Amino acid sequence: MNSLEIRALIHDAATAAHLSDLLIETVAAGGSVSFMHPLSLAAARDFWRKSLAAAARGERAVLGAWQGGALAGTVTLLLDFPPNQPHRAEIAKLMTGRDHRGKGVATGLMRAVEKLAVEKGRTLLVLDTASEEGAAGLYEKLGFTLTGEIPDFALKPHGGLTGTLIYWKRIGIAADALSRNPGDARQKPAAKILLGAGQSRR
């Protein structure tokens, strides 16, 4: 089996095409990633053009997992927050291709994006996932804490409402401090690579 290579993505025609195909496939399969089915190729390409342009400005990072020349999955780390929130980042658009599911791609991407967030000095990660058919199990296995559920948060790609689950995780120096003083976990409620070798909603 080909090894998984995870790297930051930049805008070029081939990368945009791979990402657009993955987004369209995810939405068609019912993935709650902000779009409705059917998602046009033009809309998918426009989304990734804007997303990768934001990455070029340092406002986010888009990671891709490659396996045998194919894009197996992607995840985005949102970094552009107000001046009073320089310590946090948000994970978004975790997607794994249909033919690559169940092979550790999403886990690899999550570990890579967390490492990247630590390298950028962030100490708090947040994310959300659909209550129905989301990736709650993966996030909880990776140490994220559920804050709660907002009902009827968004439309599912094929229609009908679904709630969203909000998760958080302390990382980097914040996680190190917590491991030395585990009692702080309840006293302080959360506010809201290259890398070697699912689905959040924004």
Side-chain angles (χ1 to χ4, degrees):
M1 180 177 175
N2 294 310
S3 61
L4 193 68
E5 178 191 3
I6 299 177
R7 63 176 186 267
L9 303 179
I10 60 173
H11 188 272
D12 60 54
T15 299
H18 284 298
L19 287 167
S20 297
D21 288 344
L22 177 57
L23 181 56
I24 291 169
E25 177 188 285
T26 300
V27 173
S32 187
V33 286
S34 303
F35 294 96
M36 300 298 291
H37 177 75
L39 175 62
S40 71
L41 180 58
R45 285 179 173 170
D46 184 60
F47 169 78
W48 287 116
R49 177 184 60 79
K50 293 175 180 176
S51 183
L52 292 169
R57 296 190 298 268
E59 298 167 2
R60 63 182 60 189
V62 180
L63 303 184
W66 300 88
Q67 201 161 45
L71 182 67
T74 186
V75 67
T76 295
L77 183 68
L78 303 177
L79 298 164
D80 187 24
F81 289 97
N84 68 337
Q85 300 167 45
H87 59 291
R88 78 176 182 93
E90 183 171 348
I91 293 175
K93 293 293 185 294
L94 176 65
M95 295 178 279
T96 302
R98 181 179 54 237
D99 295 336
H100 299 275
R101 292 173 188 167
K103 301 177 181 178
V105 174
T107 298
L109 282 164
M110 286 295 294
R111 288 177 175 158
V113 81
E114 180 175 330
K115 180 179 178 182
L116 179 60
V118 171
E119 290 173 355
K120 291 185 174 295
R122 305 306 167 103
T123 57
L124 181 69
L125 284 176
V126 297
L127 60 82
D128 64 81
T129 190
S131 303
E132 299 177 35
E133 301 181 12
L138 170 66
Y139 300 137
E140 291 174 13
K141 186 183 300 184
L142 292 173
F144 283 80
T145 298
L146 175 64
T147 294
E149 177 179 6
I150 304 173
D152 299 342
F153 186 79
L155 290 171
K156 294 182 283 188
H158 295 274
L161 287 166
T162 181
T164 191
L165 303 172
I166 309 296
Y167 284 90
W168 61 271
K169 182 180 181 180
R170 289 191 178 98
I171 59 171
I173 59 174
D176 293 341
L178 183 60
S179 67
R180 293 192 296 271
N181 300 287
D184 288 350
R186 293 189 181 276
Q187 296 168 12
K188 299 176 181 178
K192 239 185 105 133
I193 23 194
L194 278 164
L195 321 156
Q199 144 182 337
S200 69
R201 314 233 332 255
R202 285 183 53 190

